[in-house]
Amino acid sequence: MKSNASVVIIGGGIIGTSIAFNLAKLGVKDVVVFEKSYISSGSTGRCGGGIRQQWTSPMNVRLAMRSVELFKRFKEDVGMDIEYYQGGYLLLAYDEKEMADFENNVKIQKNEGLDVELVTPKEIHEKFPFMDLEGVVGGTWCPSDGHANPQIANIAYALKIKEMGVDLNTHTEVKGIDVQNGKIVGVETDKGYVKTNVVVNAAGGFSHEVGKMAGVDIPTYSERHQILVTEAINHVLDPMVISFKKNYYVRQTMHGSFIMGQSDKEPARGNDLGHTVEFLEEMAPKMVHDFPFMNHLHIVRQWSGAYNVSPDAQPIIDEADNISRFIFAVGFSGHGFMLAPAVGEAVAEMVVYGKSKTMDISNLKMERFKGKKISKERNVV
Amino acid sequence: MNLYQAVIIGGGPAGMMGAITLGNHGVKTIILDENESIGGQLVKQTHKFFGDHAHYASTRGFEIAQKLDEEISKNKNIEVENNATVIGIYPNNTVVYTKDGQEHKIQAKKILIATGAMEKQLPFINSDLPGVYGAGAVQTLMNEYGIMPGKRFLIIGSGNIGLILAYQLIQAGVEVRAIVEALGKVGGYDVHANKVKRLGVPILLNHTIVKAIGDESVQGAIIAKIDDKFQTIPGTEREMVVDTIAISVGLTPLTELAEQAGCKVEFIPELGGYVPIRDERMRTTNPDVFIAGDLSSIEEATTAMIEGKIAALEMARDINGSDTKEEIEEELRTLALFRSGPKSVKIRSGLEKMGIKISIPTKPIINEKKEDVIGKLRAVLECDEEIPCNSCEASCPFGAIHIGENLNSTPVLDAEKCTGCGTCVNACPGLAIFMMKENEEESTVTLGIPYELLPLPEKGQKMWGLSKEGNYVCDVTVERVVKYPNKTNIVYAKFPIEFKDTVRHFAFPKKESPIVCRCEEVSLEQIEKVIDSGVTDFEEIKRLTRVTMGPCGGKNCKLVVLGILSRKTGVPISKLSHGTSRPPVKPVEFSVFKKGGDDK
């Protein structure tokens, strides 16, 4: 562990390691990353792995589209196959109101240049004849959406940044941020103290707590989302399928297993990552209904992870205005993995140049919540 | 015509023992045997026999044959006619045989027929292809003539013959792809099954062969799962690349000569099929004709020898009035003891159909337990099956192994008395005894295993420690190789203490990397590569390779992976993080949850 750092990143998840990767690419030396457990131990390693551009907020669409560009190059850039597969995303609508929303969303998305289309039940059936589409009135389809293995992606970044000279410390927990006269001077960990003037909060489920260490009240909280994986079978399902109405998402990994989840009615708050049998009982009937072949498919494992939720379900990427050089990339509300390559690039630019250059992400600042009506991202499971 | 007091047809264990007994009682006897030399099936048996120490237990089959042969050649009353094929038994106890292209006739007061049995056949598609053998034929070719009929074997049937054949084939250096067994459990002794399982041979239960594949000769086989009515389950067929298929689905007695001699036969499946009716002392319905061995019931060589002896004692009484009453009773008691265990249920019920009741000896089967002494070099007895055998007890010079008077009892070790000499490991016919010493201070264990393969490893050599199922567990370092004249050598090797109950065989490392995680098919090499790339956290290794993430949830391989990580990093397993257990513990179908839970 280094005693002096140009930048300290708190959190070795996909966001933290992506930022470190981009900093190293920009030539920043002495970057130090602290991860309190192992790589992919937090939300990254627990997430569903979808990579989607079909969002309702233009900012989310743009970030996601930039990420897709970077995911396409991930193997060359970062050096590992992360099972990235552009099998598309199919969003299902069950009533006219939902369909009307979808039509509106597609307009916004097309406006950003996304190749996305409205599809009829007949078209869906032709694409995916094994699905039971009872009650479906239509949907949207984006063929360039896809998925990847988040755990491998996280470890790929970790191995790459180590190779690039980043000091990555796993099993090292940050205990405090040393702020003197409104200026960061160092970070205290359970393994020692490191001097630094720049800290990036990429702590995922613990973003609020890390914010407090520097005296910044970040309006995020964590809630539990449950997920399960099945045994592997031959490849049948190309896209990630989402139903907001029925409250599920499902995809088949390149390994052959199916990963799926929902939002619990009242998600447990905090980082208590237990799991319930009710989750299995709620998932089973809807999955077997929509995908009848799953009836005899075996569930192999269930687990849960934390969504780090912001008031409008969009990330908060900002620099504190009352403390010198405390940057945060938090509140991803369940879609941090898919945005990570673009966010890493933008945040690294913020650190180096004071603001992001590749993309304008200024409307992800925290000030958007001050006294204004919050316009919430609605496409969240 | 030559007149003999006794003629014995068949020079296997029953016939040989009968001849010796008759000769010892002054009866002029001739053995007619169709082979080059006598010994019957014993000559191809390279494994040690179970049984009572007084009856050649822990002696290899061919050595038993040699010993009996020596006794026979020393006995002036016994004449042996080799290459003599009996073609019929005619009136007035006339036995006709051919030898050297010539007919020969002899007459006998009493005849002992000990013709044994032949292998049952199994009908399947292309079973007439060259490359399909009876298991006994393979043993004959291999062990008598030194000819190996193939390189990759599939064995049909998991009785003792199939299991022993598999072991012998591996000793001879060829591959046994699998043993398929139609029933839901192994047919032979567990110890024989364990011997081949730890060498990596899978025993596929509820499976059968559907067909042999090949044009000129066997090039493969299709096997499939079967249901409880022995019907093939469609969709479970799979192909195996093998060049030889050995059938060992049981034996059936060779009753022809007995029938010609006027002996009544009956169909008693428990005894192997059609068998001659006989009394307790082996006399058939023809008072001059006796039988013994597999012809009377398909059993072990040990019981065959006792039967041969009983028949001969009764014949001697008839012929020259020898007083053999007490001897017969003693032998009957021994035979009853051999047949009193759980492995002889079938024989007992078969004999009962014939009106012969085996009185189960009153001597109880004892299964006591004694305190183990951790950290001391001592024997570990993994013999849990009630087999009639006491070779370990008899071999121990220090009285540390106790079986008691009923030799069906499983052995118990008195670890206090055990000196760690290893004699019992060497003696056990089931190779079911190991030596063990925990080296607590260095968290290792030293394990000594019976080793009957060549070449022998050398001190200091690295080998793979394999599990009871023959799967890779960890690397081991050979500490000591103790050679014994009977070729059951003991190899001692050291490895991490966590695996002391897991590792039961040592194998030379192979070029191909062993599969560590069978669910996800992850090899040792893949895991080592990931660790070498700098990933030393079990959780990260798991995510990169998928080890422990399959349907078994890591029950099978987690400790093995931790062992590899521990070896590579020097961090003891106890200090490594080992992941989190998550439901369901066993894979569950979605259908189970479709209706929601039933609150109980």
Side-chain angles (χ1 to χ4, degrees), chain A residues 37-41 45-46 80 83 149 151-152 155-156 159 162 170-171 228-231 255 257 260 273 275 277 280-285 287-288 294-304, chain B residues 519-520 530 533-554 577 579-599:
Chain A
S37 184
Y38 56 90
I39 297 300
S40 83
S41 57
R46 298 157 186 273
M80 204 181 274
E83 300 168 13
N149 183 322
Q151 303 174 335
I152 296 183
I155 296 171
L159 291 173
K162 277 201 270 190
T170 56
H171 301 284
L228 69 85
V229 68
T230 71
E231 65 187 312
H255 164 256
S257 55
M260 59 191 76
L273 304 174
H275 29 242
V277 72
L280 303 180
E281 291 166 2
E282 286 165 23
M283 285 301 288
M287 297 320 295
V288 173
M294 285 190 190
N295 197 30
H296 294 297
L297 194 65
H298 285 87
I299 300 167
V300 166
R301 191 164 48 249
Q302 69 172 127
W303 68 97
S304 68
Chain B
C519 295
E520 297 294 334
V530 166
S533 80
V535 179
T536 54
D537 200 306
F538 170 74
E539 295 278 11
E540 294 172 21
I541 295 166
K542 172 175 146 186
R543 283 161 176 78
L544 278 178
T545 62
R546 302 197 60 83
V547 283
T548 78
M549 288 172 83
C552 92
S577 115
T580 314
S581 172
R582 309 207 186 267
V585 170
K586 287 183 178 164
V588 196
E589 288 185 8
F590 275 103
S591 59
V592 168
F593 296 105
K594 252 182 350 195
K595 291 198 184 106
D598 176 15
D599 291 323

Side-chain angles (χ1 to χ4, degrees), chain A residues 99-115:
Chain A
M99 201 58 213
D101 283 347
F102 277 18
E103 281 163 22
N104 196 34
N105 296 344
V106 166
K107 260 184 222 151
I108 296 168
Q109 292 156 4
K110 276 190 186 275
N111 205 31
E112 297 299 331
L114 186 65
D115 175 19

Side-chain angles (χ1 to χ4, degrees), chain A residues 54-68:
Chain A
Q54 299 183 63
W55 296 98
T56 63
S57 102
M59 187 66 239
N60 272 348
V61 178
R62 283 199 294 279
L63 264 181
M65 285 176 70
R66 175 64 188 157
S67 268
V68 165

Side-chain angles (χ1 to χ4, degrees), chain A residues 111-131:
Chain A
N111 205 31
E112 297 299 331
L114 186 65
D115 175 19
V116 58
E117 57 180 341
L118 293 164
V119 280
T120 64
K122 188 164 168 284
E123 287 166 330
I124 299 171
H125 175 75
E126 274 161 18
K127 272 191 203 312
F128 312 110
F130 48 81
M131 285 182 68

